[in-house]
Amino acid sequence: ERLGPTITAGEILVEIMATSVGTGFLEPLPLLGPFPSGAPAIFIDQVAKLGGSAGIISAVGADDFGTLNIERLRRDGADISAIDVLPDMPTGTAFVRYRPDGARDFVFNIAKSASGQIRMTDAARQLISRAGHVHVMGSAFAITGIGQILTDAVADVKSRGGSVSFDPNVRKELIAEHGQAREQMREILAVTDLLLPSGEELEVASGIKGEEASIGALLSLGISEIVLKRGALGSSYFAKDGRLDSPAFAVKEVDPTGAGDCFGATYLTCRRLGKSPEDALRYANAAGARTVTRQGPMEGASSFAELDAFIRETGSET
Ligand code: ATP
Ligand code: MG
């Protein structure tokens, strides 16, 4: 924290969800929303709710969906100075419906929304010049030009002794098809201090098979901490000095969206505040678990007081 705020760059959206389980959007449906969303925005909101200083480089339209997001981030204490409000573009949207097996169908508008127009503005340069940590969210690479903004931010922050975290947040299919994404991932991994993969992202990042082999290969790149998210099974920490496993808290899952972002933001913020990996993992598990009990991706973002109460009430981890 002493080096300045945690920042990221990427999409801000509203999420609108079908209230019934089923397949897609081919007939009229009851919908619930708009909820503030966008993986990078959820991450930054969670950092801010924990009292960490945090800011985001992004863009919204001059509409209610944009206002909803900006006011939420402002209320929770995030720096919103580098969120551009574009007069001629709508705020990004994601319509989501859950299938019976838990898979999701989406209708996205990101590329042709304000989020598709994120640029390096004076306000963005200002924010970067004050930052102490850059979080790179893999989902943001769908936005043309975001790679350059993140690369510039990483170089600037690293030159001042700052640090970098990376959540790949990608699907294997995309990586396999696009050689450029593979190259982009290699470049980020080379400057990553904290890697936050989930599921198959670990093997996608390492380029090899097997958890242990992947961890070894990634640590040898110079990554100091890898924290693997395991959904309802909790999480694991890996570093040169060893490994820690932390079980999940037992909760009823209402809406899994946002768990990984709140988990990562909480782990990072705890570490930046000087907490041990063990304490950070426990708080992060609590943040992820609490998120899935709330409808809406950003609605379960937690303060330390809320996490302490949750840990007390939910009791021993399973
Ligand atoms: P996302 O779907 O948001 O990208 P992710 O795949 O990156 O998420 P997950 O592993 O799904 O990350 O969730 C992150 C963390 O949140 C887990 O490591 C766990 O601590 C907590 N968590 C997620 N789902 C549950 C659950 N059903 N019960 C308890 N804890 C959970
Ligand atoms: Mg998940």
Side-chain angles (χ1 to χ4, degrees):
E1 282 277 292
R2 97 198 125 78
L3 283 165
T6 294
I7 66 165
T8 194
E11 69 278 12
I12 288 178
L13 314 171
V14 291
E15 188 162 312
I16 297 168
M17 54 191 65
T19 56
S20 61
V21 169
T23 304
F25 292 97
L26 295 169
E27 73 275 353
L29 290 172
L31 300 168
L32 186 64
F35 290 103
S37 191
I42 298 164
F43 187 96
I44 286 303
D45 189 70
Q46 176 60 89
V47 175
K49 276 206 98 172
L50 293 171
S53 49
I56 183 167
I57 297 165
S58 191
V60 296
D63 53 32
D64 285 354
F65 291 172
T67 303
L68 174 73
N69 272 289
I70 287 178
E71 290 312 316
R72 172 64 63 87
L73 288 163
R74 188 208 307 275
R75 184 197 82 186
D76 289 344
D79 184 326
I80 56 163
S81 62
I83 303 175
D84 219 359
V85 180
L86 305 178
D88 298 325
M89 297 296 278
T91 299
T93 52
F95 289 78
V96 60
R97 187 175 193 196
Y98 285 89
R99 293 188 178 200
D101 66 358
R104 291 174 284 191
D105 291 314
F106 284 104
V107 177
F108 277 122
N109 176 25
I110 301 177
K112 290 177 179 165
S113 76
S115 275
Q117 305 288 315
I118 300 171
R119 299 283 177 266
M120 184 68 100
T121 60
D122 287 342
R125 269 187 212 94
Q126 273 284 329
L127 182 64
I128 291 169
S129 74
R130 289 186 278 111
H133 182 93
V134 179
H135 179 70
V136 178
M137 191 62 93
S139 63
F141 285 100
I143 300 166
T144 311
I146 207 84
Q148 194 58 51
I149 295 174
L150 285 164
T151 305
D152 290 356
V154 165
D156 201 66
V157 165
K158 283 249 161 176
S159 76
R160 280 177 278 117
S163 49
V164 173
S165 52
F166 176 38
D167 180 343
N169 224 354
V170 288
R171 288 185 303 120
K172 198 183 254 163
E173 303 88 287
L174 291 174
I175 290 294
E177 283 166 23
H178 301 290
Q180 205 189 344
R182 180 71 248 173
E183 192 45 48
Q184 222 152 30
M185 172 149 337
R186 220 193 308 274
E187 283 170 24
I188 301 162
L189 289 171
V191 295
T192 296
D193 300 290
L194 165 63
L195 181 66
L196 293 155
S198 79
E200 65 187 14
E201 290 164 2
L202 180 69
E203 292 182 347
V204 172
S206 70
I208 56 177
K209 290 277 169 212
E211 185 174 303
E212 208 175 316
S214 293
I215 295 288
L218 290 163
L219 288 175
S220 73
L221 292 178
I223 296 171
S224 33
E225 298 184 16
I226 301 170
V227 176
L228 184 61
K229 296 169 276 181
R230 302 186 194 271
L233 296 175
S235 55
S236 303
Y237 156 96
F238 303 89
K240 285 242 159 64
D241 64 4
R243 137 180 213 164
L244 293 167
D245 294 290
S246 196
F249 290 89
V251 292
K252 185 175 178 294
E253 187 174 294
V254 173
D255 179 3
T257 309
D261 310 324
C262 290
F263 175 98
T266 301
Y267 184 84
L268 172 73
T269 304
C270 286
R271 295 294 285 139
R272 291 203 77 205
L273 292 171
K275 293 189 192 298
S276 67
E278 196 177 355
D279 286 350
L281 219 48
R282 186 171 167 78
Y283 272 122
N285 275 343
R290 199 169 172 272
T291 304
V292 306
T293 65
R294 302 284 197 286
Q295 182 91 254
M298 212 186 271
E299 307 310 302
S302 311
S303 65
F304 274 117
E306 286 167 332
L307 291 181
D308 285 330
F310 175 85
I311 290 169
R312 233 175 10 246
E313 285 156 20
T314 315
S316 62
E317 299 165 72
T318 50

